[in-house]
Each structure stands twice: as structure tokens, then as C-alpha cells.
Amino acid sequence: MNTFEYSAEKSSGAVYERISAFRISICVPLIAICSVFFAGCHTGTGDGGNKEPGYKTTIAFHPGEEAKIVEAFLSVKDSTCFLLEEGLYKFDNLSIAQVSHIRIKGEGYDKTVLDFSMQTQGGEGIRITNVNGFEIGGLTIRDSKGDLLKISKCRDVIIAGLHAVWKTADSTSGGYAIYPVMCRNVLIDSCYAEGSSDAGIYVGQTDSAIVRNCRAAKNVAGCEIENTSHAKVYGNEFYDNTAGFLIFDLPALSKRGGFVKAFDNYFHDNNTRNFAKSGSFGTSWGVGNASPGSGMIILAASNLDIYQNRIVNNNSCSITIASGLSVDDKALEKIGENYFPIPRNISIHDNTLQMGGAFPAAAYEHHIGKILVGIEQKLNAQDPGRKNKRIPEIMYDGVSTNLLNHGTAANPDSICIRQTGGNVFVNADFLNVANPKKWHPTTEWKAFDCQ
Amino acid sequence: MRKTCFFVGIVAGLIVISVLAMQGCNDGGAKSGGPGSTGLAGGGFVFKEKLSEYGFFVNKLSDLQPAPGVLPYELVTPLFTDYAVKDRFIVLPAGQTIRYTAQGVLDFPDSTILVKNFAYRNPSNQKILIETRLLVKDPQDKRWEVMDYLWKEDQSDAIRHITGARIPITLLDDRGDRISTIYQVPNTNDCKRCHINNDVLTPIGPKARNLNFVRARAETGPGRGGVNREDTGFNQLVIWAKQGRLSGLPAIGQVERLPGWKDSLHFSVGQRARAYLDVNCAHCHTRGGDAYNTGLFLEYQQTDPEHIGILKAPVSAGGGAGGLNYDIIPGDATHSILAYRMNSTEPGTAMPELARTVIHQEAVALIRNWIDQLPRKRPLKKLQQKEQ
């Protein structure tokens, strides 16, 4: 955890250095410079000392200038950097669309705070669309009604040193805190997300993404990579969520995910209740399916490499591998160019996997949690030799492509696991879970063991 | 440190400061889209400061009487905006014609201006103008540009306005009931949000199929009340073709016709519901639209049941889905997210996300009715238009 604090400090420190230089230069008693700065126009096109290198225009603002900021965002031209000085800003919402090379920069997540609690319309606090070259960081955004930061259809995106939080972590929070979707080349570095009723950090329908050195806590899911290809997730800490980390593919979307690597992460103590909004029907889709106590869940995603992570104290299951059929009995009908519900080519190796002694209380109230509890009970009833061990660390739902081609191979989909320990794997036989007489989960895993 | 600097600055020369500051503001204004800026370098269309400067209307501006050459038009199924009363006009450059296109928006000549006025009926049943939106096809780069004009309270003129506004109003809905709300005037990015497809800004309404009907207020013909709606001679497109404003129009019977969402005499509940969803949702809920990422595509011509939302789980709705499982459950509107979100005004839940702060009761009833009568069996078979 200290490592992460350090990197966050470091990035805000760098910002701070530049700000100090900026202060010194503006206090050179040049009236012109001072006046331009204090008049609140802050054109800063080169002579004010507050120019951000690499940007044609730099515009600085301070709290109280929210109306000007809204207008400046709406009329922004290519190659502009917005500097938001220390303090609390209040907005309904902000947006930037159809420009190139834009940066929004604060003086540090603990200094520059943007509050969206007065949001009255729309789906998010900040909305960035069709921008090529977008960077945001060094600030905190908080308490929107919808998502906090949505970045849609953008290229070359950097989100660094950004904190995105809801003070109340319940179903009234927006869905995603940090939400790039349908983008290309996204870097999310040293960010923190808290309180989302869906995923704190969510990368959707994107090609080429990196999530690193981030933290996420008190969300339903800490981080989710969904229908996103060529993603790398490393050096992160996701804790105190319902589920730590998800890799999902869903049907009927613009692209398929896969080719995701997750390594050197620390997913721990994700045992909180699933507070995704539920109605009379319950919640059986998306993140609502995440059982409390899940370290990491793979749903309908393929070509994944999961290694050298510490996945500790997630007390319902360290790693779940599930097909689309586990949540949607029409999943096979939805197979297409962008969707294949059965996970293939999954490599899980050299992770540290540990679970606590019992399921979290919240798991007993969750529809998937109940199944996990049932699996543990069934295994121990089938084999007294287990001596009431916990459910194994890795739960595979057992739905394979055998279902499509009537095959009989033990492991037709290259689920490859290289982990040590005596309680590593269960094939949970999900297809028969509703039929107690036929249901036979098994810990036999020779075919899946890639030692 | 900054305070000292500020102090020194003031003492040293208040006049110099204010002059320079104003200079700074002017620079900022020009760069950030002040008067005269259209987002174009070196020419192109220039938006005027006041609506009156364009000369679209004759006599009293707020009466919206079109000047010669300004074409009023209506849509058979319009977008809902808080029961707003809308007046729409096409301003064609002299001597130019619109070219007919079977699919999508008509092909307008360069320098065309589309004018859309938004008003509400107040409790005294007076029409109060709120905003006028312009879409202009810039002759220089052939791209459409947006601008909004906010009406003054005294209704004397409307002033260029880019940041959006929230205006408390009390309006009369279609049943004559009073509703108090805070009307949301969109900012320029809000405009783009609905009007952009694949990064290209485009008009939404004036498609041949949505113009293909006889207007109640046809500007030629027997006048109000006397129009025979079945007589295609009074059809909007036919009239324009006769006037030489529209070229390439095939025989009117061959032109696709979008159902009127209220026209239960000629169209089924399914056709009317799909027409409503097309006009109110499909500018975003289409490939390349703002809601491309959702996979929910509500164009009238869409036949894939998954894309229409039939037993489709939401993707990124979060709490907005109300904990419901599917966009549409055939036969069960109460548990269908589509109807749930149309029936909400809460940000994050309400759909459409923009331009609606009150519930369109009549539309919710139509959509619920449609969902409730969808067959529960074999819902994943392709939806045929005739089945709707």
C-alpha cells in the first residue's frame, strides 16, 4: 500500500514543482503579467509563465470561476491545457467534444477538488467525447449522480493521479468512477476510485489499455476490463470491494475483448455486500452477479494471462472462471463475431492465493454467493476426506466447448493452471447445479494442471 | 504571495491593468468562440449575435412568421422535449434545392440553415419562446455547425448562447395539466451529443420518411381544418417538389413513410412505438451514435431482437437499470428497463438523458402497451415488421 501512496505523492509532487515555478515567475512585478492573470482571463499564451509545455494555449482558473470554466470547456480549441488551481469547484457537469490535444490539470488530488453533487441532467459529471490526445490528472472528482468521468471514442488517453470518489458507497452512487469506453490507447496510472455502484475503474470496448499503480476500494467491483482487448493490469491494489477485479465479455457490443494480462496486483479483502441497485427481480446481469468475497472473476472472456498476483482474503473465491451461460441461458444464441460465451486460453500461474476461514456474511444473501456456499458444502459432503476444507481457490464453472460440438475432452478450451497448494481447483459443473441428483462438482484437475 | 502580488498590481497601475485585462479577455473571447468565431480558421459561416439579425422572420419576431423563401416544416413523429411547442424552418440559399435521399437526412445544399424554435404553453395558454436552435451547413468545409439562441424574457429577441441554461417554467402538457419543471437549454456539446454520428455532426429530423405526410398547417392548400390528410397533393414533400425546392423526389407512393406515433388509425401499436423510439432514441442508440457502446439500437429498420433490447441485459446502465434484468421483457413492461427509464426524471436513470425533464406520459403508455403485447414465446426470432 505504501508503494501506491508513494507513487501518488510523487506524481502530485511533480505537478507541485511546476506550480511553484509558476508562482515565482508571476510574482516578478510585471504588471502586465499580474493583471492578465488576475483578470481571470488567463489566456496564458506564452508570456505569463503559466504555459504548459506542448500546448498552444494554457488557461488557468481558480475556484469561483466555474461559469468561465464551463464556457471555456465548451469553446475549447485544439491544443489547450486547463490548469485548475487549488480549491473546491462546484459543477453541474462539464464536457469537451471533438477537439485534439487537451489536458485538464489540477494541483494534486488533495488540493484541486471538483464536486458534481449539483448535477441535474445527463449521465456523468465530466464527459469527454471524440478527443484525440486527452490527459487529466492531479485532482479529485466527486459525487456526481451518474458516472464521474466518461471518456468516449477518444484516442491516446492518459488519466493519472486522479481520484474519483463518492462519499457514500451505496446504490445511489453512479455506476463508474473512471470510465473510458470505445477508446484506443488508454493509460490509467496512480488513480483511486471509491464508492461506485458498478466498477470503480472500468475500461469498456477499448483496444490497448493499461491500468497500473491504481487503488480501488468500497466499490461493487474495484476494476473491470470489459470487451477490451490488449489490456495490461499491473501494480494495482483493489480491496474492500464486493469483487476485486473483473474481466468480462458481454454480447451484442461493438467489439470483443481478450488478450488481457493481469500481473503483480494485490486483490485483497473484497468481501463487502453487493450494493449494485437491485429491484424486485434481483440483479442477475453484469456486476450484480459478482458474489461478495470474490478476488477476481473472468466471465466469457478468452486469451487471458493471470500471474504473480497476490489474491488474499477474498473469502468466497479467489478466482472465478465462468461462461456466459452461468448468467444468461440464451448466451449460446448470442455467439457472433464479437461474442463467444465460453472462456478459452486462460493461463493462471504463480499467483499467491489465500482465503480466510469462512464465507463473508454477505455471500449468503447473494444468488451466486449461495451457489459458492453450496459448492463448498457439496464437496465436503461428497468427500469427508476434505475435512471441511474451504471451497478451492479457483472455481471453474465447467462449461466448455464440448457443449457446442458434443466433445468429451477433459479440457478442450486450454484452461491452464500452474499453482501450488492442496485445494486449488474445482470444476463446479454449473450446467447441473439446478439438479441436485446430477450435480457433481469435482476437484479433479489433472487435465487443467499445467505444471 | 499571490495576494501581495495582486496588491502591488493594483497599486502600481489600475488603469494599465484594466486595459490589459480587457485586452486579455478579448483575446480569450476570440479564441474561445466569442462573437464571430465559428470554429473555423479563415472564413466560413459566422454565427450572428442575435436571432433578429438573420432576417428569418417578418413582422414581430416572436410571431415566427417566415420571410419569403423560409420553408416551415413538420415531422410526422417529432422528438419530445418537455411538451415544448416547436416551430421548424428550412432556410435555403437562393436558387438552391434540396436533393432527395431515400435513407437518412435529405441532402441539403451548402449554407442551408435549419431553424428550430422551442416554446411552451404557460398556464394562461400563451406560447412562450425559450430557445431557437440553428444548424448551419458551412459552405467552406461542408460540415454542419450548431448554435443556440436564448429568448429574452420580454420575447423581443434571442441572443447567442453556448453554455446552456436552466430555466424554471410552469407549462401545460398535452392534457392541459400544469407541470412545473426546470427546462434545460442545451450547451453546444449537448447539441453535438445527439447530432454526432461517427464524429460527424448531422441534422436528425428532416429525413424523407419523417417528412412524408400532410401537414395540419400546410402553408398552401385549403387552409387549416380543410386539409384532406389522404390527399398526397398536400404532402409536404410533394409541395416542395412542385415549388422547385426539392429535386429527385420519386412518386410519393414509393417514398418510405415513418408512422405517426399518435396515428392509431393507420398504424399498429408496434409501428407507432418503433417510430417513437426511432425519433427519440435512435440518434444516440445506433452504430456510431453516442450510445453505440450499449449495443441497444432503436432505429425503425432494426430487426435484430437483441439490438432492439428484447431479453438484452444492460451493459453500462449501472443503477439506472433499476435492478431490472432486461431492456425489454416481451409481455412484461413493468419489468422492462426501457419503460422504466422513460418513466423517470432522475439523472442517471432518465432516458433520453438530455432534453427531457418531465415524463412523456402518452409515450410511456404507448411503449408499455407495445411491450405488453409482444409475444412471450420465441422472443429471439427476428422481429418482422408485420408482426409488430
Side-chain angles (χ1 to χ4, degrees):
Chain A
M1 180 146 170
N2 286 336
T3 331
F4 300 106
E5 288 295 351
Y6 173 73
S7 57
E9 280 301 311
K10 208 169 103 188
S11 72
S12 68
V15 172
Y16 215 74
E17 263 168 40
R18 269 175 246 152
I19 297 295
S20 309
F22 152 70
R23 278 185 184 164
I24 290 163
S25 73
I26 97 167
C27 284
V28 171
L30 281 173
I31 293 163
I33 291 170
C34 281
S35 64
V36 168
F37 180 74
F38 286 106
C41 303
H42 312 315
T43 53
T45 47
D47 57 343
N50 57 345
K51 182 173 161 52
E52 184 69 14
Y55 291 86
K56 263 190 222 159
T57 310
T58 302
I59 315 177
F61 294 101
H62 52 78
E65 295 187 307
E66 281 87 340
K68 279 182 188 159
I69 296 170
V70 168
E71 182 153 3
F73 273 42
L74 288 170
S75 44
V76 64
K77 297 286 177 283
D78 291 353
S79 193
T80 299
C81 177
F82 296 101
L83 294 173
L84 302 181
E85 293 167 18
E86 176 172 355
L88 175 63
Y89 300 77
K90 295 197 167 193
F91 295 103
D92 183 309
N93 62 78
L94 288 170
S95 63
I96 294 176
Q98 284 195 306
V99 277
S100 297
H101 195 43
I102 303 298
R103 182 168 187 186
I104 301 170
K105 182 177 162 181
E107 294 193 351
Y109 73 86
D110 53 346
K111 305 239 167 9
T112 300
V113 178
L114 279 56
D115 182 299
F116 293 92
S117 51
M118 57 193 272
Q119 186 194 343
T120 56
Q121 184 176 248
E124 52 280 310
I126 304 179
R127 174 188 181 80
I128 309 294
T129 45
N130 297 109
V131 174
N132 289 335
F134 175 73
E135 183 168 354
I136 184 170
L139 44 87
T140 289
I141 52 177
R142 70 182 193 200
D143 295 331
S144 58
K145 298 281 195 306
D147 305 314
L148 270 166
L149 169 63
K150 182 173 180 180
I151 300 175
S152 176
K153 300 173 193 161
C154 294
R155 242 176 35 213
D156 303 326
V157 173
I158 299 175
I159 306 162
L162 178 79
H163 285 213
V165 299
W166 282 275
K167 62 173 171 284
T168 312
D170 64 21
S171 62
T172 63
S173 298
Y176 309 121
I178 298 171
Y179 177 18
V181 62
M182 298 185 113
C183 293
R184 274 195 73 182
N185 296 340
V186 174
L187 170 64
I188 304 176
D189 192 354
S190 306
C191 293
Y192 176 67
E194 177 183 315
S196 313
S197 67
D198 202 308
I201 298 168
Y202 171 97
V203 184
Q205 299 176 61
T206 286
D207 184 53
S208 300
I210 294 172
V211 179
R212 70 182 182 205
N213 305 330
C214 294
R215 292 181 298 130
K218 300 182 194 169
N219 308 282
V220 173
C223 173
E224 178 172 358
I225 302 293
E226 187 172 274
N227 292 71
T228 288
S229 50
H230 307 105
K232 286 182 190 159
V233 177
Y234 58 91
N236 302 287
E237 183 184 18
F238 304 138
Y239 57 100
D240 280 344
N241 306 285
T242 303
F245 178 53
L246 315 180
I247 306 175
F248 280 20
D249 261 24
L250 299 184
L253 299 185
S254 68
K255 73 182 296 304
R256 206 176 151 187
F259 305 97
V260 177
K261 288 185 184 188
F263 54 95
D264 295 341
N265 297 290
Y266 185 22
F267 308 145
H268 67 96
D269 298 286
N270 294 292
N271 293 310
T272 58
R273 140 189 112 79
N274 190 322
F275 58 87
K277 193 167 180 178
S278 66
S280 52
F281 263 30
T283 304
S284 75
W285 50 270
V287 79
N289 283 313
S291 170
S294 300
M296 161 168 190
I297 303 173
I298 294 163
L299 176 70
S302 293
N303 303 304
L304 312 179
D305 201 359
I306 314 297
Y307 57 97
Q308 291 172 11
N309 300 287
R310 281 187 296 155
I311 306 180
V312 174
N313 266 334
N314 307 285
N315 292 333
S316 292
C317 197
S318 293
I319 301 177
T320 299
I321 308 168
S323 68
L325 272 84
S326 66
V327 293
D328 179 1
D329 54 18
K330 299 255 187 301
L332 292 183
E333 295 175 44
K334 298 176 180 176
I335 289 176
E337 200 181 323
N338 295 339
Y339 182 67
F340 192 79
I342 298 171
R344 292 181 294 193
N345 305 323
I346 310 290
S347 173
I348 299 176
H349 58 95
D350 301 308
N351 299 284
T352 302
L353 305 178
Q354 283 166 9
M355 284 165 64
F359 284 98
Y364 292 91
E365 289 151 21
H366 187 270
H367 59 280
I368 299 286
K370 286 175 191 168
I371 295 175
L372 297 171
V373 170
I375 291 168
E376 182 175 291
Q377 289 170 347
K378 180 84 172 177
L379 287 176
N380 290 334
Q382 282 174 177
D383 179 8
R386 282 178 56 81
K387 296 185 178 155
N388 291 324
K389 269 191 224 164
R390 289 302 320 274
I391 182 173
E393 303 284 355
I394 300 173
M395 194 283 283
Y396 172 52
D397 75 354
V399 179
S400 72
T401 49
N402 285 340
L403 190 66
L404 295 174
N405 52 30
H406 309 290
T408 54
N411 181 11
D413 300 317
S414 303
I415 309 296
C416 173
I417 291 163
R418 201 173 70 222
Q419 291 286 145
T420 53
N423 192 22
V424 173
F425 182 85
V426 55
N427 179 337
D429 188 24
F430 254 51
L431 287 178
N432 294 312
V433 75
N435 184 348
K437 282 185 187 152
K438 277 182 76 180
W439 186 41
H440 185 67
T442 170
T443 56
E444 171 54 51
W445 68 298
K446 210 175 275 173
F448 302 90
D449 183 1
C450 298
Q451 299 290 350
Chain B
M1 218 165 159
R2 276 188 235 177
K3 276 182 183 159
T4 319
C5 194
F6 189 33
F7 181 72
V8 169
I10 287 174
V11 172
L14 207 55
I15 297 166
V16 179
I17 287 170
S18 44
V19 167
L20 285 171
M22 279 172 70
Q23 194 60 49
C25 279
N26 288 340
D27 286 354
K31 284 199 176 65
S32 59
S37 164
T38 61
L40 284 171
F45 183 84
V46 176
F47 284 106
K48 299 181 192 299
E49 188 60 19
K50 294 176 184 171
L51 184 63
S52 56
E53 294 171 36
Y54 291 98
F56 297 147
F57 306 108
V58 294
N59 302 326
K60 193 175 160 197
L61 188 68
S62 60
D63 287 345
L64 303 178
Q65 270 181 270
V70 174
L71 283 178
Y73 72 99
E74 285 178 33
L75 301 173
V76 68
T77 291
L79 176 82
F80 174 80
T81 313
D82 288 358
Y83 293 100
V85 181
K86 302 180 185 179
D87 295 270
R88 304 172 181 81
F89 305 90
I90 298 168
V91 185
L92 283 178
Q96 302 277 314
T97 57
I98 308 165
R99 270 193 307 262
Y100 170 81
T101 49
Q103 295 299 319
V105 174
L106 294 175
D107 185 3
F108 292 98
D110 292 351
S111 300
T112 297
I113 305 177
L114 301 178
V115 183
K116 192 171 171 188
N117 296 276
F118 291 68
Y120 66 99
R121 288 187 302 139
N122 72 7
S124 318
N125 209 11
Q126 292 162 315
K127 184 173 158 186
I128 310 292
L129 290 155
I130 315 175
E131 54 166 329
T132 298
R133 304 180 188 170
L134 302 191
L135 266 171
V136 179
K137 193 172 183 188
D138 194 294
Q140 185 169 287
D141 60 4
K142 320 287 180 195
R143 287 170 174 265
W144 290 91
E145 313 241 340
V146 289
M147 189 48 68
D148 197 60
Y149 290 80
L150 198 58
W151 281 83
K152 293 182 179 176
E153 219 165 304
D154 65 10
Q155 304 279 289
S156 61
D157 207 340
I159 311 298
R160 191 176 167 282
H161 191 85
I162 69 163
T163 56
R166 307 178 64 231
I167 302 174
I169 60 172
T170 299
L171 59 88
L172 293 183
D173 70 12
D174 286 356
R175 290 169 300 186
D177 291 341
R178 284 181 184 211
I179 301 177
S180 289
T181 188
I182 297 176
Y183 182 91
Q184 306 262 4
V185 176
N187 65 43
T188 47
N189 280 354
D190 294 334
C191 298
K192 290 177 184 174
R193 193 158 161 181
C194 293
H195 282 276
I196 281 181
N197 188 284
N198 284 324
D199 209 6
V200 176
L201 203 143
T202 166
I204 299 168
K207 301 180 174 100
R209 67 181 185 195
N210 205 5
L211 293 159
N212 182 10
F213 76 118
V214 174
R215 292 174 60 210
R217 291 182 284 169
E219 75 273 29
T220 53
R224 287 181 195 201
V227 175
N228 177 0
R229 289 216 165 215
E230 302 298 321
D231 185 343
T232 55
F234 299 115
N235 181 296
Q236 230 172 180
L237 295 173
V238 173
I239 292 168
W240 292 350
K242 275 186 203 157
Q243 293 172 341
R245 314 281 186 103
L246 175 65
S247 64
L249 183 70
I252 198 69
Q254 290 170 24
V255 178
E256 198 189 331
R257 197 174 166 200
L258 191 73
W261 75 281
K262 289 200 256 190
D263 184 357
S264 55
L265 205 62
H266 299 94
F267 301 103
S268 69
V269 166
Q271 288 170 320
R272 289 159 53 210
R274 290 294 304 280
Y276 185 88
L277 295 174
D278 179 280
V279 170
N280 284 275
C281 317
H283 39 273
C284 292
H285 281 281
T286 189
R287 285 190 174 80
D290 195 55
Y292 187 8
N293 65 301
T294 64
L296 180 69
F297 302 144
L298 295 171
E299 314 91 343
Y300 187 71
Q301 65 275 18
Q302 182 61 251
T303 56
D304 183 327
E306 176 84 6
H307 285 315
I308 293 167
I310 309 273
L311 295 182
K312 178 187 178 299
V315 174
S316 52
L324 303 173
N325 290 336
Y326 297 110
D327 292 345
I328 293 172
I329 301 176
D332 188 359
T334 303
H335 295 105
S336 295
I337 296 166
L338 190 79
Y340 169 78
R341 300 189 78 167
M342 284 178 63
N343 201 31
S344 168
T345 56
E346 190 62 26
T349 298
M351 281 287 160
E353 286 183 338
L354 297 179
R356 183 177 73 74
T357 65
V358 306
I359 292 166
H360 193 188
Q361 302 288 353
E362 297 79 3
V364 171
L366 172 67
I367 297 302
R368 289 186 58 93
N369 191 359
W370 170 57
I371 294 173
D372 278 336
Q373 68 171 41
L374 283 173
R376 287 171 185 252
K377 284 186 180 170
R378 44 179 205 93
L380 280 187
K381 289 279 178 331
K382 293 252 177 201
L383 278 191
Q384 300 301 318
Q385 293 287 340
K386 64 178 180 207
E387 277 186 4
Q388 292 172 33

